[in-house]
Amino acid sequence: MGKRSFHLETKDPIIKFAVLDKILDLARANSLWPITFGLACCAIEMMCASMARFDIARFGAEVFRPSPRQADLMIVSGTVTKKMAPILVTLYEQMPSPKWVIAMGNCAISGGPFVFEGQYNLVEGVDLLVPVDIYVPGCPPRPEGLLEGLMKLEEKITGTRRFPVPEPKW
Amino acid sequence: MTMTNRVIEEFKAEFKSVDITEAPYEKQGYHLSIEARTGNLLNIIDFLDKREFYIIDLFCVDYQDYLELVYFFNTHRELCRIKVTLKLDPVKPVAPTISNTYTIARWYEREVHEFFGVYFEGHPNLTYLFLHEEIGHYPLRKQHVPVPDGDKKLLNSFRPHEEENSFFINLGPQHPSTHGVLRVVLKMDGEYLISAEPVLGYLHRMHEKMAENKSYMQFMPNPARMDYPGALLFNLAYVEAVEKLCGIEVPERAKYIRTITCELNRIASHLLWLGAFPADLGALTPFMYAFDDRENILDILEDVTGSRLTYCYFRFGGLYNDINEETFIDATKRFIERMRERLVMYDKLITGNVIFINRVKNIGILEQGQAKKYGFSGPVIRSTGIPFDMRKVDPYAAYGSIDFEIPTGHIGDNMDRYMVRMKEIEISLNIIEEGIKRLPSGPFKTEKVPKKLKPPKGDIYNAVESTRGETGVYIVSDESDTPYRMRWRVPSYSNLMTFPHLSRGVLIADAIATLGSYDIVVPEIDR
Amino acid sequence: MDIINSMQTLQEFFHVAVFAVVAVIFTISPIIIAYLLAPRTVGKKTFVTYECGIEPFGNAWIRYSVHYYIYALIFIAFDVDVLYLFPIALSYTKGGNAFEFYSLIVFVLILALAVIYAWGKGVFTWKRKILS
């Protein structure tokens, strides 16, 4: 999905069998550590998601690491400009495997409200630069939207959704 | 005799051949307009400098037969906005630099160079500031003008010289604080900074170019994206500018609701800063408390406007919809009571903390004398002791009828900037209370506003006091339904440019504290 | 008798040996587990030094500021203090007499004199602003 032109060759681990994979995937999904990569307005909603009301700590992801060497989830929250693009790719490459990317907000999905004819400084969507796993639409998406994106990512990693979909009240 | 008349008299005495005209302030937003020529521009700038005028903004407009450089000036003592224009040849535009008198002009002129191709003679470092390396044309010109080959070397704007014993480190675009994508290149000697050079443009989202392609109504979501913590105030600047240009009258109720929601947004933005500033110093607890309070405000505003962060609530002639009197006023009153108690708690938690006081007192002292050269505004200038607030100097919306005071600091260090913002939260609470008491009934929107706005020909400059300082919009209209040129004067730009001056020779931890106390938001700098 | 004595001494060191081996295993095992279990990706910029996403420029082999050097010297002074305290801890009799206690205090004070001298000379206070 997406216009992927970026490809990092991933070598399989030395020990690999099914039950171990299941345990490791469960462990990785329960403790995703995001990198502090807030670019624009969506970053504020990402911070709200990690605060007391929309606690992201109950899903194990409140440890926002500033250094990519210690992180395994990159939440691209905000617009990616052409000047910022090489930095994003560098940081993605510096993260150790396995790693995932959530494109949060309309700007990261496809350029957002800043696409117009004659635009000269925008990368229309972060999936032109790095492979994206989950897209969370919104401008900016509510913190609950980001949490739902996190749930979908956990479902993608482990294969089953472990928390129920909340029932809409109206 | 008012300032305007005094200036006209003295100017005519000194420059006999230069045109100076008085402009109607209500329609244009400035008092005087001076047409300068390349020969006497520097003399005019000196004249204004001697009379304590600070530079508001410096930009360029592309009228296809000529380029016009526009300079705006104002004083801190009395409101007297002066517009100086300089016409340039579109094929080879050359102008003298004013950065010897006004230091902030160094960055404004770099921006004009990369967007319009104007060369400034005598500029110390005319390299690119915002744009990236592969751009091959001047974006804001009306026609496609490619960058001449000889200038391509200016595109590599930041290449520090390889010096023997200096250590360069990047306070890079990706960092764990909330300013946004700001990159500062630090040259260090051990733990002390020798120089700090901000590199901008990592979030340049082409707002000014979008304004030329979209109609006035289609541009409404953009101001909120520029300054997202204080979105309603940028909305207000834009909406009021267009209303003044078209002569649209706003009903009283709409003015009061605009005031109340803007002050709520100001408190929300200051609470965001209150969480982030101690986090820069290492205190992570106030973050949680401040965001909790902020969620209360966001609930109230979400009921009314429909969104949590990037509001788009005002319309030309009033508001999008009316407030629900019972729930809104109830919730706001409860919030005001709660916030007053929380302010006492913040006092004990942060202001009285010995570690915080030692980290923040007497660091980053900004003098009053620098205000003229840089043009900084907002809590930064109020902390140096100058009581300059656009809400008092030039009242707009309902601020004229509400009584409030302006908090000032004494010496302009980080502690003063902190105290000014805390007092501003209290004063905003008072303004909201007054506003609710006086809220008139009536329509919330003027009836006869055309769907496709076509303002009359002319230009207007409108300024409001946003959370970070003086925010201004300059719109040139040519009677079509898209603006011809829109320019945003943002406070964080001039605030940030004092950082290289303040951080020479300090410890790096103190420099980070100073940067945090400015409360800059990078998307509004990069526009 | 000789053999029994050396067996007893060896037995006392047995716990130290176990401690040393467990410490080494504790530090090396996560590295080995990660090497066996994690997938590997290498991009163009994976092994570049992290500097907020930008390639570092300028030399890292520069002349360091003298403040750090003085801190390193003070560290040596403290380190020597701790080294000398080890044999004292071994030979300190339980429930000893006052003479031993006071002589220990005097010994520590004499060793700490170096640090107190540095403190008085202002090594621990750094100026807040060096250029004007």
Side-chain angles (χ1 to χ4, degrees), chain A residues 10-18 20-21 24 28 97-98, chain C residues 30-41:
Chain A
T10 307
K11 286 192 269 204
D12 270 341
I14 297 179
I15 299 183
K16 189 177 160 84
F17 51 93
L20 183 69
D21 262 353
L24 283 180
R28 285 172 185 146
S97 199
Chain C
I31 302 180
I32 297 182
I33 294 177
Y35 182 74
L36 292 176
L37 292 178
R40 257 170 296 280
T41 46

Tab-separated table of all heavy atoms in Angstrom, chain A residues 10-18 20-21 24 28 97-98, chain C residues 30-41:
chain	number	residue	atom	x	y	z
A	10	THR	N	15.761	-6.586	4.899
A	10	THR	CA	15.684	-7.101	6.266
A	10	THR	C	16.111	-8.549	6.271
A	10	THR	O	15.542	-9.363	5.556
A	10	THR	CB	14.226	-7.026	6.770
A	10	THR	OG1	13.774	-5.705	6.589
A	10	THR	CG2	14.171	-7.370	8.226
A	11	LYS	N	17.107	-8.845	7.092
A	11	LYS	CA	17.550	-10.233	7.191
A	11	LYS	C	16.836	-10.877	8.365
A	11	LYS	O	16.676	-10.285	9.416
A	11	LYS	CB	19.064	-10.283	7.401
A	11	LYS	CG	19.827	-9.954	6.133
A	11	LYS	CD	21.273	-10.300	6.291
A	11	LYS	CE	21.950	-9.067	6.813
A	11	LYS	NZ	23.345	-8.959	6.543
A	12	ASP	N	16.452	-12.149	8.187
A	12	ASP	CA	15.738	-12.846	9.244
A	12	ASP	C	16.622	-13.105	10.442
A	12	ASP	O	17.840	-13.221	10.300
A	12	ASP	CB	15.233	-14.194	8.709
A	12	ASP	CG	13.853	-14.027	8.129
A	12	ASP	OD1	13.198	-13.027	8.459
A	12	ASP	OD2	13.442	-14.897	7.339
A	13	PRO	N	16.028	-13.232	11.626
A	13	PRO	CA	16.865	-13.569	12.791
A	13	PRO	C	17.391	-14.986	12.706
A	13	PRO	O	16.901	-15.812	11.937
A	13	PRO	CB	15.906	-13.409	13.981
A	13	PRO	CG	14.560	-13.432	13.412
A	13	PRO	CD	14.643	-12.951	12.024
A	14	ILE	N	18.380	-15.287	13.562
A	14	ILE	CA	19.074	-16.574	13.457
A	14	ILE	C	18.184	-17.695	13.987
A	14	ILE	O	18.114	-18.770	13.427
A	14	ILE	CB	20.403	-16.506	14.226
A	14	ILE	CG1	21.287	-15.459	13.572
A	14	ILE	CG2	21.077	-17.845	14.241
A	14	ILE	CD1	22.604	-15.282	14.236
A	15	ILE	N	17.499	-17.404	15.112
A	15	ILE	CA	16.590	-18.414	15.671
A	15	ILE	C	15.180	-17.979	15.338
A	15	ILE	O	14.792	-16.854	15.617
A	15	ILE	CB	16.737	-18.498	17.195
A	15	ILE	CG1	18.156	-18.905	17.557
A	15	ILE	CG2	15.741	-19.451	17.777
A	15	ILE	CD1	18.350	-19.071	19.023
A	16	LYS	N	14.411	-18.826	14.729
A	16	LYS	CA	13.072	-18.398	14.339
A	16	LYS	C	12.186	-19.608	14.292
A	16	LYS	O	12.402	-20.512	13.516
A	16	LYS	CB	13.142	-17.759	12.947
A	16	LYS	CG	11.879	-17.074	12.478
A	16	LYS	CD	12.159	-16.436	11.127
A	16	LYS	CE	10.909	-16.164	10.355
A	16	LYS	NZ	10.287	-14.903	10.716
A	17	PHE	N	11.194	-19.671	15.174
A	17	PHE	CA	10.165	-20.691	15.022
A	17	PHE	C	8.860	-20.136	15.560
A	17	PHE	O	8.825	-19.128	16.233
A	17	PHE	CB	10.545	-22.012	15.706
A	17	PHE	CG	10.980	-21.871	17.132
A	17	PHE	CD1	10.070	-21.997	18.166
A	17	PHE	CD2	12.302	-21.646	17.446
A	17	PHE	CE1	10.470	-21.876	19.482
A	17	PHE	CE2	12.709	-21.536	18.751
A	17	PHE	CZ	11.791	-21.649	19.787
A	18	ALA	N	7.768	-20.789	15.255
A	18	ALA	CA	6.443	-20.184	15.325
A	18	ALA	C	6.077	-19.719	16.723
A	18	ALA	O	5.624	-18.593	16.917
A	18	ALA	CB	5.392	-21.161	14.803
A	20	LEU	N	7.945	-19.105	19.301
A	20	LEU	CA	8.784	-17.991	19.744
A	20	LEU	C	8.355	-16.702	19.076
A	20	LEU	O	8.288	-15.645	19.710
A	20	LEU	CB	10.244	-18.297	19.408
A	20	LEU	CG	11.231	-17.238	19.881
A	20	LEU	CD1	11.288	-17.260	21.378
A	20	LEU	CD2	12.589	-17.504	19.295
A	21	ASP	N	8.022	-16.785	17.785
A	21	ASP	CA	7.537	-15.604	17.077
A	21	ASP	C	6.316	-15.031	17.749
A	21	ASP	O	6.199	-13.816	17.949
A	21	ASP	CB	7.180	-15.963	15.633
A	21	ASP	CG	8.292	-15.599	14.695
A	21	ASP	OD1	9.253	-14.962	15.169
A	21	ASP	OD2	8.201	-15.909	13.511
A	24	LEU	N	7.310	-13.341	20.996
A	24	LEU	CA	8.033	-12.093	20.756
A	24	LEU	C	7.104	-11.019	20.220
A	24	LEU	O	7.198	-9.856	20.605
A	24	LEU	CB	9.170	-12.341	19.768
A	24	LEU	CG	10.394	-13.029	20.338
A	24	LEU	CD1	11.409	-13.204	19.246
A	24	LEU	CD2	10.979	-12.221	21.457
A	28	ARG	N	6.529	-7.442	21.775
A	28	ARG	CA	6.804	-6.194	21.054
A	28	ARG	C	5.572	-5.323	20.972
A	28	ARG	O	5.663	-4.102	21.081
A	28	ARG	CB	7.302	-6.496	19.640
A	28	ARG	CG	8.724	-6.974	19.617
A	28	ARG	CD	9.126	-7.444	18.247
A	28	ARG	NE	10.467	-8.001	18.290
A	28	ARG	CZ	10.876	-9.023	17.547
A	28	ARG	NH1	10.033	-9.593	16.710
A	28	ARG	NH2	12.112	-9.454	17.645
A	97	SER	N	15.840	-2.655	13.830
A	97	SER	CA	14.714	-3.467	13.413
A	97	SER	C	14.240	-4.305	14.586
A	97	SER	O	15.049	-4.654	15.415
A	97	SER	CB	15.204	-4.353	12.298
A	97	SER	OG	14.168	-4.832	11.564
A	98	PRO	N	13.006	-4.739	14.758
A	98	PRO	CA	11.856	-4.414	13.924
A	98	PRO	C	11.269	-3.053	14.247
A	98	PRO	O	11.250	-2.635	15.394
A	98	PRO	CB	10.853	-5.513	14.304
A	98	PRO	CG	11.207	-5.893	15.683
A	98	PRO	CD	12.659	-5.670	15.837
C	30	PRO	N	21.774	-10.375	27.333
C	30	PRO	CA	20.848	-9.664	26.433
C	30	PRO	C	21.452	-9.427	25.054
C	30	PRO	O	20.739	-9.477	24.052
C	30	PRO	CB	20.596	-8.331	27.138
C	30	PRO	CG	20.911	-8.584	28.545
C	30	PRO	CD	22.001	-9.578	28.554
C	31	ILE	N	22.769	-9.185	25.016
C	31	ILE	CA	23.393	-8.946	23.706
C	31	ILE	C	23.280	-10.218	22.870
C	31	ILE	O	22.953	-10.172	21.673
C	31	ILE	CB	24.863	-8.521	23.891
C	31	ILE	CG1	24.930	-7.271	24.763
C	31	ILE	CG2	25.508	-8.268	22.560
C	31	ILE	CD1	26.316	-6.781	25.009
C	32	ILE	N	23.535	-11.366	23.499
C	32	ILE	CA	23.482	-12.617	22.735
C	32	ILE	C	22.059	-12.908	22.300
C	32	ILE	O	21.806	-13.299	21.143
C	32	ILE	CB	24.039	-13.783	23.578
C	32	ILE	CG1	25.487	-13.512	23.889
C	32	ILE	CG2	23.851	-15.085	22.870
C	32	ILE	CD1	26.145	-14.616	24.660
C	33	ILE	N	21.095	-12.696	23.229
C	33	ILE	CA	19.701	-12.975	22.881
C	33	ILE	C	19.250	-12.074	21.739
C	33	ILE	O	18.603	-12.525	20.787
C	33	ILE	CB	18.792	-12.769	24.112
C	33	ILE	CG1	19.115	-13.812	25.166
C	33	ILE	CG2	17.349	-12.858	23.715
C	33	ILE	CD1	18.320	-13.644	26.415
C	34	ALA	N	19.624	-10.780	21.813
C	34	ALA	CA	19.217	-9.880	20.745
C	34	ALA	C	19.873	-10.276	19.434
C	34	ALA	O	19.252	-10.223	18.377
C	34	ALA	CB	19.589	-8.444	21.110
C	35	TYR	N	21.112	-10.714	19.504
C	35	TYR	CA	21.801	-11.117	18.274
C	35	TYR	C	21.116	-12.311	17.643
C	35	TYR	O	21.027	-12.421	16.420
C	35	TYR	CB	23.259	-11.434	18.611
C	35	TYR	CG	24.080	-11.816	17.416
C	35	TYR	CD1	24.478	-10.854	16.494
C	35	TYR	CD2	24.465	-13.132	17.208
C	35	TYR	CE1	25.227	-11.200	15.405
C	35	TYR	CE2	25.219	-13.474	16.118
C	35	TYR	CZ	25.601	-12.512	15.218
C	35	TYR	OH	26.337	-12.864	14.119
C	36	LEU	N	20.574	-13.230	18.495
C	36	LEU	CA	19.963	-14.424	17.935
C	36	LEU	C	18.545	-14.171	17.460
C	36	LEU	O	18.096	-14.786	16.505
C	36	LEU	CB	19.946	-15.536	18.988
C	36	LEU	CG	21.309	-16.094	19.389
C	36	LEU	CD1	21.123	-17.099	20.511
C	36	LEU	CD2	21.968	-16.775	18.217
C	37	LEU	N	17.826	-13.298	18.169
C	37	LEU	CA	16.389	-13.242	17.928
C	37	LEU	C	15.933	-12.069	17.075
C	37	LEU	O	14.810	-12.063	16.618
C	37	LEU	CB	15.638	-13.153	19.265
C	37	LEU	CG	15.692	-14.388	20.138
C	37	LEU	CD1	14.950	-14.121	21.420
C	37	LEU	CD2	15.055	-15.549	19.421
C	38	ALA	N	16.737	-11.031	16.890
C	38	ALA	CA	16.217	-9.839	16.224
C	38	ALA	C	16.551	-9.855	14.747
C	38	ALA	O	17.615	-10.309	14.357
C	38	ALA	CB	16.808	-8.584	16.859
C	39	PRO	N	15.636	-9.356	13.920
C	39	PRO	CA	15.976	-9.208	12.505
C	39	PRO	C	16.976	-8.069	12.331
C	39	PRO	O	17.114	-7.210	13.179
C	39	PRO	CB	14.640	-8.865	11.849
C	39	PRO	CG	13.808	-8.339	12.939
C	39	PRO	CD	14.266	-8.963	14.202
C	40	ARG	N	17.656	-8.061	11.185
C	40	ARG	CA	18.696	-7.064	10.967
C	40	ARG	C	18.397	-6.248	9.724
C	40	ARG	O	18.089	-6.793	8.674
C	40	ARG	CB	20.052	-7.754	10.772
C	40	ARG	CG	20.942	-7.681	11.974
C	40	ARG	CD	22.133	-8.575	11.776
C	40	ARG	NE	21.731	-9.971	11.668
C	40	ARG	CZ	21.432	-10.736	12.698
C	40	ARG	NH1	21.520	-10.255	13.902
C	40	ARG	NH2	21.047	-11.982	12.515
C	41	THR	N	18.460	-4.939	9.856
C	41	THR	CA	18.332	-4.087	8.670
C	41	THR	C	19.488	-3.110	8.687
C	41	THR	O	19.842	-2.577	9.725
C	41	THR	CB	17.048	-3.257	8.703
C	41	THR	OG1	16.910	-2.694	9.990
C	41	THR	CG2	15.852	-4.071	8.371
